Amino acid sequence: MTDCLFCKIAAGDIPAEKLYEDDEVLAFKDIAPQAPVHFLVIPKKHIVDPSDVSQEDEKLIGKLIRIGSQIAAENGVSDGFRIIFNNGAKAGQAVFHIHMHILGGKDRPWPM
Ligand code: AMP
Ligand code: ZN
């Protein structure tokens, strides 16, 4: 999608601090971290939000969790991290390309 921030990051047109990349998935640090470890995992395919996930995307969305957990472990928070998908503006979604937040590095819930 042309007018989508995360499609542009996935295409390499806008820089990001990448943590992982393959042909389907990209992980990068959140620009405004809410926890000591805070990164986003996205599919390169433009999917709007969790409500937009189709049956054919199920494996891809599972992959976000697997890759995100691996990166959490690499960043020293395998013993405790939170996964968040915001769905819709009412829930605080600001970028309408599905993304999985991973937050870790402190003992208590985070402000999201
Ligand atoms: P959400 O509120 O769930 O849509 O989350 C969007 C997230 O994207 C926020 O946590 C932002 O800080 C983050 N974000 C926005 N622009 C960028 C960017 N250029 N690079 C990395 N993270 C970003
Ligand atoms: Zn997109």
Side-chain angles (χ1 to χ4, degrees), residues 57-102:
D57 299 325
E58 284 175 356
K59 204 172 165 195
L60 179 60
I61 299 305
K63 185 173 176 181
L64 301 187
I65 294 175
R66 181 174 64 78
I67 297 295
S69 301
Q70 270 174 23
I71 299 167
E74 286 162 16
N75 284 270
V77 296
S78 60
D79 60 338
F81 58 88
R82 176 174 286 188
I83 288 179
I84 296 172
F85 284 94
N86 288 323
N87 191 99
K90 241 177 150 173
Q93 186 177 3
V95 180
F96 292 91
H97 177 130
I98 194 169
H99 49 281
M100 189 180 84
H101 293 260
I102 290 199

Side-chain angles (χ1 to χ4, degrees), residues 21-85:
E21 182 168 21
D22 65 25
D23 55 336
E24 295 180 316
V25 170
L26 177 68
F28 53 98
K29 290 191 181 177
D30 196 290
I31 205 167
Q34 304 290 312
V37 174
H38 184 183
F39 61 90
L40 305 174
V41 191
I42 65 167
K44 290 190 170 176
K45 176 181 177 182
H46 183 83
I47 299 169
V48 176
D49 57 26
S51 298
D52 187 36
V53 172
S54 65
Q55 216 169 354
E56 71 170 32
D57 299 325
E58 284 175 356
K59 204 172 165 195
L60 179 60
I61 299 305
K63 185 173 176 181
L64 301 187
I65 294 175
R66 181 174 64 78
I67 297 295
S69 301
Q70 270 174 23
I71 299 167
E74 286 162 16
N75 284 270
V77 296
S78 60
D79 60 338
F81 58 88
R82 176 174 286 188
I83 288 179
I84 296 172
F85 284 94

Side-chain angles (χ1 to χ4, degrees), residues 1 4 6-7 46 97:
M1 201 189 174
C4 168
F6 287 175
C7 280
H46 183 83
H97 177 130

